[in-house]
Structure formats: structure tokens, C-alpha cells
Amino acid sequence: MKVRVIPTGSEHLGARLGVDPFAPAGPAPETYGSWRPEVVVGATSAGGLLLPQAEPTASYVYAPRGVWLEDELLVVADTGNHRVLVFDRIPSTDGEPADVVLGQPDATSEGPQAGGRGPDQGMHLPTGLLRTPDGRFLVADAWNHRILVWDRVPSGDRAPDLVLGQPSASDVEPNRGGAPSATSFYQPFGIALVDGRFYVADTYNRRVLVWVDGVPTDPDVPADIVLGQPDPTSRGENRDGPVAPDSFRWPHMVTGNGGGIVVADAGNHRLLGWHRHPDGDVPADYVLGQPDMGTGVEFPYRPQTGTGLRFPYAAVRTPDGLAVADTSNNRVLLWEGDPRDQHTVPAWVLGQPTFAANGENRWEQVGPDTLCWPYGLAASGDRLAIADSGNNRVVVWRRG
């Protein structure tokens, strides 16, 4: 259910009372290092633990699960409003409106398939985002079981130039209405281009599909590699067996690690890493978040550690190492360098005052540096964008 609060427009309750409830409560925790929140996309909170407004506008978002960041571009998968917002700059002030709304006829409409307009120009819970070096723009339209491709970032709402995973732009059945194949998807949440290879976290087929020559230009071109299943027609959770170094439960995002890949296997509460790009269905080389490759239990909801994870839905390579959205622990972990085994501890944690804390918004208030179910990450230079899904916003952090 969407949280709606009293303030309208850009005004909020604190402004009318002469105070700013969104201001930091005090000095930043030492665990942040030199990272600080820079700007917020979405509404601010009226105070306390009341969540920001989620009424769709060109400024407000609802449960965003994906974000893309470049020097002069910010794109938000406004998942709960079934649309994508494009900002042709990094906003300089909180709550700035988007320049383009994709997937809805206007900035205030909501609902799957453009509120009934249809899937040809609508979306159903979009998540992953990607812009390729040659300028193509991709959206993982997860619950339509497809990936939308535009030849360039659209300057207005228009239909995609290519649809991957479905026989046509009007088809939306899982696995093209049949059994899994090397050209079909079942809720693909994450997409990535790593060292020229196109990776799709095909979440509910419990696998990762790989096109070694990049994003295909034809929907009938099969993936070259199926990672996590014995063949293209299988979709069993953990291969219908125990947790293993070559299995997934809910693979959600893929990122690079300086020569290979890391997969956020959220359902097994871990990340699996390959030192080199896999050339077939091969087991991972290392694990983060679990004591070994055969464990997939949820780290209990109690004081945490720097290495335990609970539903890590996103990971992204940063200029200095790796960032992980430890979603159910309401924090983002940052490693300096590429962690190579489960014993490597992160250098920083964002959203919590210590590595042991894990409360939603620290059980204090919705502040610029608190988190509630962070789902998506994007990095560019000294910036890190966090899709702070439970707080109905995206927060761009910057390292000083």
C-alpha cells in the first residue's frame, strides 16, 4: 500500500513548522568514511519514521528497485509506479522533477501496462537499467518477462526499438508461454554489460544468461551460456538440490570484479564470484556472505557482522572495489578492493552507525543517510546511487 502524507507540492510539514525533519540528526558515523548523501530523488519525509509521499509525480517515486548513474545522467526504475524516470543531469537539489517519463502517458499516471494502455508501450514492475557504450538503453521489464531496448535514451515516452525475451511487444507470458529456453525469461530482475558480455539475472528461472558478444540485436538469438542450470530448459531452485557453488535461488544482479563477475544470489543470502568470466556452466570460485559454498541460510535478524548478509539484492563495482546492497539489513557495504572470499571484511557501511546495526531507518527517523530496504545500486566516479526502495526514493551519495 502506498504511503500518502498531508504535504502537497514541494512543501513538507517541517518547512511549515520552521524545522527540517530531513536534516541529519548529528555527525555522520565513522563507518561512512568520507561518504555523505548528496541529493534525494523522491519526496522527503514529514518527520519521524513516516515514509515519504508516494503519489506519482515527475518528482515522487514508489518503491524504486533500480538506478543507473553517469556523470550527466540519472535514471530511476520507479518500480511501484511501473515506469522509468530519466534525469538528463544529476539533480542539484532534493525533489527535482524528471525530464522524461517512460512507460506511462503522463507524470501522474500509474498501474501496470501504462494503466491499461497495454504492454506495447507500458511496463510491469521494471527493475534493472543499463546504457551501453554505444548509447543503447535497456530496461529489465521484470514482470512482463522481457527486456526493452531503445537505440538511445528516449527524449520522450515512446515504444522500445527492440524487445528481448518475447515473440512480440504485446506478449508478456513467462518463458514465452512455454518451457524455459535460451531466449526466454521469467522475471529477469538484473542486467549488466561486463567486459563486453551481456549478463541477465533471469531470477525466477534461477539462472544467469550470458551473451558473449554483447546485447543481441535479435530476440531469437539464444544465450551462449546458461549459468546455474544444467541446460536451457531447467529452472529448479538450486538445481532441485542443496545449495552449491554452481546453483542459485534468486539471482538478482550481476557486476564485474576486475576480470570476472559477481552474482547477487539474494535468495541464498550470498554473493558468488568467478575470478574469470565463465565459459560455461561452471562453479563459482568464492562466496561472500556465507561460511562456505554449501550454505544458504538467512543470517538471523539480530546484531550483524560485516560479512553476514540478508537478501543482498544488488552489487556494483566501484572505482575502488565493490558495493553491496544488504537489503534486509538496511545497509550498503563497501569493500576497498575486490573481496575474494568470505573472510574479506568491508571497509565501510552506509545507512547504519555500526556494522552490528540493521534497523529500518535505524529505528529513529527517515533521514538523508538512513536506509529502508535498499534494492538497487549504481556507481560512477565518486558517486554511488542507492535505490532506497522502502523509503520511496533514490539517494545519491558522494565521497569527499
Side-chain angles (χ1 to χ4, degrees):
M1 181 178 69
K2 295 190 177 183
V3 177
R4 308 186 191 277
V5 295
I6 295 173
T8 58
S10 61
E11 184 183 28
H12 58 69
L13 181 61
R16 294 203 302 271
L17 296 178
V19 297
D20 185 2
F22 201 64
E30 293 183 2
T31 52
Y32 291 3
S34 62
W35 289 94
R36 298 291 184 273
E38 179 182 22
V39 69
V40 175
V41 173
T44 57
S45 171
L49 288 169
L50 186 62
L51 299 186
Q53 186 172 350
E55 190 80 29
T57 71
S59 302
Y60 295 174
V61 298
Y62 177 41
R65 292 198 173 190
V67 60
W68 182 260
L69 179 67
E70 296 179 15
D71 289 343
E72 298 297 332
L73 179 69
L74 176 70
V75 187
V76 176
D78 187 10
T79 308
N81 285 321
H82 309 282
R83 65 183 188 174
V84 168
L85 301 182
V86 180
F87 299 79
D88 61 9
R89 77 280 178 204
I90 306 299
S92 58
T93 58
D94 295 349
E96 288 186 21
D99 298 287
V100 178
V101 177
L102 293 177
Q104 296 288 356
D106 53 58
T108 59
S109 296
E110 58 180 317
Q113 323 300 17
R117 185 172 60 177
D120 295 56
Q121 205 165 330
M123 302 177 187
H124 193 180
L125 298 179
T127 52
L129 303 169
L130 169 66
R131 186 160 80 153
T132 66
D134 63 3
R136 283 179 291 172
F137 178 64
L138 284 69
V139 175
D141 188 14
W143 278 37
N144 278 332
H145 317 290
R146 63 186 186 175
I147 294 168
L148 309 178
V149 184
W150 285 263
D151 293 337
R152 62 185 182 279
V153 178
S155 57
D157 182 38
R158 66 177 182 83
D161 298 295
L162 175 68
V163 175
L164 302 176
Q166 297 288 1
S168 76
S170 59
D171 290 298
V172 294
E173 291 299 314
N175 289 316
R176 296 187 173 209
S181 73
T183 61
S184 74
F185 306 122
Y186 195 142
Q187 292 185 15
F189 279 99
I191 50 178
L193 192 66
V194 185
D195 301 328
R197 293 187 170 206
F198 181 50
Y199 287 88
V200 176
D202 190 13
T203 304
Y204 279 91
N205 280 326
R206 288 98 178 184
R207 65 186 187 178
V208 172
L209 299 181
V210 189
W211 284 263
V212 298
D213 293 326
V215 179
T217 57
D218 186 316
D220 294 320
V221 173
D224 299 290
I225 298 168
V226 178
L227 195 62
Q229 296 291 354
D231 55 64
T233 62
S234 299
R235 59 177 301 268
E237 185 174 295
N238 288 314
R239 295 175 178 255
D240 291 319
V243 178
D246 59 355
S247 75
F248 302 116
R249 188 179 176 207
W250 303 336
H252 208 269
M253 183 54 69
V254 182
T255 192
N257 63 2
I261 59 165
V262 173
V263 177
D265 184 17
N268 283 324
H269 312 285
R270 66 181 187 176
L271 276 72
L272 290 180
W274 284 258
H275 294 315
R276 298 180 179 179
H277 290 281
D279 56 6
D281 178 35
V282 296
D285 297 304
Y286 62 94
V287 64
L288 303 177
Q290 297 288 0
D292 54 61
M293 296 278 202
T295 303
V297 297
E298 181 177 358
F299 197 71
Y301 196 56
R302 58 174 171 79
Q304 300 296 293
T305 69
T307 56
L309 301 172
R310 296 180 66 234
F311 295 105
Y313 277 99
V316 66
R317 182 170 171 80
T318 70
D320 292 328
L322 182 72
V324 174
D326 189 12
T327 304
S328 196
N329 279 326
N330 306 293
R331 64 184 185 176
V332 171
L333 300 173
L334 290 160
W335 280 263
E336 291 186 346
D338 295 307
R340 293 291 170 155
D341 61 51
Q342 65 269 29
H343 304 296
T344 311
V345 297
W348 316 110
V349 57
L350 307 184
Q352 299 293 350
T354 69
F355 282 96
N358 64 352
E360 296 177 3
N361 293 309
R362 300 202 292 261
W363 306 128
E364 297 172 352
Q365 66 171 3
V366 181
D369 65 334
T370 70
L371 294 171
C372 181
W373 290 75
Y375 263 91
L377 297 174
S380 178
D382 59 0
R383 287 186 171 102
L384 178 70
I386 303 174
D388 189 15
S389 183
N391 282 325
N392 301 325
R393 66 184 185 179
V394 168
V395 182
V396 178
W397 289 61
R398 191 164 192 172
R399 182 179 53 188

